[in-house]
């Protein structure tokens, strides 16, 4: 699954690596791997990755 973090658009497109409860590990194109509490930092699903490039 691919996501963006609306609070940090400069992080770029992120690929979800894992999810345990509300804790999501995402590898972002411009920021690298981030461990995010999704209840505190909302993520937006990118449904069509081809539109992102």
């Amino acid at each position: 699954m691919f996501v963006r973090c609306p609070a940090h658009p400069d992080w770029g497109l992120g690929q979800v690596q894992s999810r345990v409860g509300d804790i999501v590990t995402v590898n972002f194109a411009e920021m690298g791997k981030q461990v995010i509490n999704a209840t505190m930092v909302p993520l937006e699903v990118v449904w069509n990755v081809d539109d992102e490039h």
Side-chain angles (χ1 to χ4, degrees):
M1 175 180 286
F2 290 90
V3 295
R4 287 199 171 279
C5 183
H8 300 282
D10 56 314
W11 289 4
L13 188 63
Q15 183 173 18
V16 174
Q17 303 295 302
S18 67
R19 176 179 167 247
V20 178
D22 294 327
I23 305 301
V24 185
T25 302
V26 183
N27 190 19
F28 287 97
E30 304 299 327
M31 191 61 176
K33 188 178 287 186
Q34 300 294 311
V35 179
I36 296 172
N37 182 335
T39 62
M40 304 294 290
V41 181
L43 297 171
E44 181 178 275
V45 175
V46 175
W47 294 103
N48 191 346
V49 176
D50 293 332
D51 290 344
E52 294 294 311
H53 299 290

